[in-house]
């Protein structure tokens, strides 16, 4: 398949001198697929915002709970954009635990994720997984990709995952148009799962340090109000927009961290 042909190209595209969000996130999660630039960037952000590693862990756990919730609602197709480097409890692992026949398409634009795509493509018997090397900012190229159309039936409900990816879409890149393009292609009864970092709980000195570590503005934190606006056309699943640490977390053992410490919103919404 195409994966074999693109692996060498992907390796050639990896720039180890520039931090990448997927590799930095892997570093915060305790993974091994990162380089010095990713660790330096991750450490600088963590120095300014000590809760960022906790945010990464809680965001990952939120994704798992949300995928399981959708699977239990009967969703058997998932489109996971901004997949990141494979880690325990990938989307297909959680969803196919509920129904092994579930089909999943992963999308990411980091070439190192492509080199690990075999792990993502290891489906349960009866299910199907695919991986697309593409960017959330180009939704048409995702929706028209032959691997998507061969794997998912967009006339049937789909679970769209935009987990920890929208905060890498700047306002001048029109995040609402991107969300609309993706969700307009999905059948009624589909769902969207999204999470988004925020700085609104942080003191000014922390924001100043984080801003200094974001010179190109690639990272775009948003308020809860703005996040809600991006999802306003959908029917929010209870409890609506809340901290990723709290969404359907009643059965999570141990005390929950504060919303201020996690600084990341999450939501699941139904597309009618």
């Amino acid at each position: 398949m195409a994966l074999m042909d693109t692996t060498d190209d992907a390796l050639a595209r990896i720039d180890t001198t520039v931090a990448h969000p997927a590799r930095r996130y892997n570093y915060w999660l305790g993974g091994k697929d990162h380089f010095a630039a990713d660790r330096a960037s991750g450490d600088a952000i963590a120095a300014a915002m000590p809760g960022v590693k906790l945010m990464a862990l809680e965001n990952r756990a939120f994704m798992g709970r949300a995928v399981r919730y959708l699977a239990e609602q009967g969703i058997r197709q998932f489109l996971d954009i901004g997949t990141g480097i494979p880690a325990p409890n990938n989307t297909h692992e959680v969803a196919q635990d509920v129904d092994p026949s579930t089909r999943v398409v992963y999308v990411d634009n980091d070439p190192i994720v492509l080199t690990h795509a075999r792990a993502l493509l290891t489906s349960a018997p009866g299910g199907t997984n695919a991986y697309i090397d593409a960017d959330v900012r180009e939704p048409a190229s995702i929706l028209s990709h032959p691997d998507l159309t061969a794997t998912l039936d967009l006339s049937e409900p789909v679970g769209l995952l935009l987990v920890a990816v929208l905060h890498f879409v700047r306002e001048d890149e029109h995040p609402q148009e991107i969300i609309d393009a993706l969700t307009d292609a999905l059948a009624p009864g589909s769902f969207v799962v999204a999470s988004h970092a925020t700085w609104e709980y942080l003191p000014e000195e922390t924001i100043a340090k984080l801003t200094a570590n974001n010179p190109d503005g690639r990272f775009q934190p948003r308020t809860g109000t703005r996040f809600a606006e991006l999802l306003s056309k959908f029917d929010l699943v209870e409890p609506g927009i809340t901290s990723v640490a709290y969404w359907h977390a009643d059965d999570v053992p141990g005390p929950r961290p504060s919303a201020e410490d996690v600084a990341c919103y999450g939501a699941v919404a139904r597309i009618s």
Side-chain angles (χ1 to χ4, degrees), residues 1-8 10-11 13-14 33 83-87 90 92-93 104-123 128-134 147:
M1 62 181 297
L3 183 62
M4 286 287 292
D5 297 332
T6 56
T7 301
D8 289 343
L11 288 170
R13 286 165 43 209
I14 296 172
D33 298 297
T83 300
I85 295 166
N90 294 297
H92 74 277
E93 294 170 323
V104 179
V105 172
Y106 291 104
V107 182
D108 207 291
N109 71 338
D110 183 1
I112 202 171
V113 180
L114 177 57
T115 68
H116 288 274
R118 290 192 183 283
L120 297 173
L121 294 172
T122 305
S123 172
T128 305
N129 295 355
Y131 179 84
I132 299 173
D133 183 27
D147 288 346

Side-chain angles (χ1 to χ4, degrees), residues 154-165:
L154 298 188
S155 70
E156 297 293 331
V158 173
L160 170 65
L161 273 61
L162 298 172
V163 176
V165 68

Side-chain angles (χ1 to χ4, degrees), residues 167-185:
H167 49 230
F168 296 110
V169 179
R170 298 190 305 258
E171 285 295 329
D172 64 354
E173 294 170 326
H174 311 294
Q176 189 68 71
E177 293 181 11
I178 292 170
I179 294 171
D180 290 349
L182 292 167
T183 56
D184 286 351

Side-chain angles (χ1 to χ4, degrees), residues 32-249:
K32 299 178 180 179
D33 298 297
H34 41 74
F35 301 102
D38 307 305
R39 295 189 290 273
S41 174
D43 289 343
I45 294 171
M49 183 182 176
V52 71
K53 293 183 180 180
L54 176 64
M55 180 177 73
L57 292 168
E58 289 293 337
N59 181 73
R60 183 77 180 182
F62 158 75
M63 185 191 76
R65 295 194 301 272
V67 169
R68 182 166 293 276
Y69 172 84
L70 265 57
E72 291 173 348
Q73 304 307 303
I75 297 298
R76 296 295 178 261
Q77 305 184 103
F78 289 84
L79 175 56
D80 184 347
I81 302 179
T83 300
I85 295 166
N89 296 318
N90 294 297
T91 296
H92 74 277
E93 294 170 323
V94 176
Q96 291 175 353
D97 183 59
V98 177
D99 187 333
S101 69
T102 299
R103 290 164 285 157
V104 179
V105 172
Y106 291 104
V107 182
D108 207 291
N109 71 338
D110 183 1
I112 202 171
V113 180
L114 177 57
T115 68
H116 288 274
R118 290 192 183 283
L120 297 173
L121 294 172
T122 305
S123 172
T128 305
N129 295 355
Y131 179 84
I132 299 173
D133 183 27
D135 195 307
V136 67
R137 290 166 291 183
E138 299 176 356
S141 68
I142 295 172
L143 294 168
S144 64
H145 196 285
D147 288 346
L148 183 143
T149 57
T151 307
L152 304 183
D153 178 359
L154 298 188
S155 70
E156 297 293 331
V158 173
L160 170 65
L161 273 61
L162 298 172
V163 176
V165 68
L166 293 174
H167 49 230
F168 296 110
V169 179
R170 298 190 305 258
E171 285 295 329
D172 64 354
E173 294 170 326
H174 311 294
Q176 189 68 71
E177 293 181 11
I178 292 170
I179 294 171
D180 290 349
L182 292 167
T183 56
D184 286 351
L186 305 182
S190 296
F191 287 83
V192 57
V193 177
S195 64
H196 204 298
T198 183
W199 287 354
E200 62 186 316
Y201 296 119
L202 304 179
E204 290 184 4
E205 58 270 25
T206 298
I207 293 174
K209 292 177 182 177
L210 292 171
T211 300
N213 281 291
N214 187 38
D216 62 354
R218 172 48 56 203
F219 183 76
Q220 177 74 71
R222 293 183 173 92
T223 65
T225 298
R226 178 59 180 140
F227 184 45
E229 289 175 352
L230 293 173
L231 302 178
S232 62
K233 65 187 288 187
F234 312 120
D235 301 320
L236 291 172
V237 172
E238 292 294 333
I241 292 173
T242 186
S243 170
V244 292
Y246 300 157
W247 195 90
H248 287 220

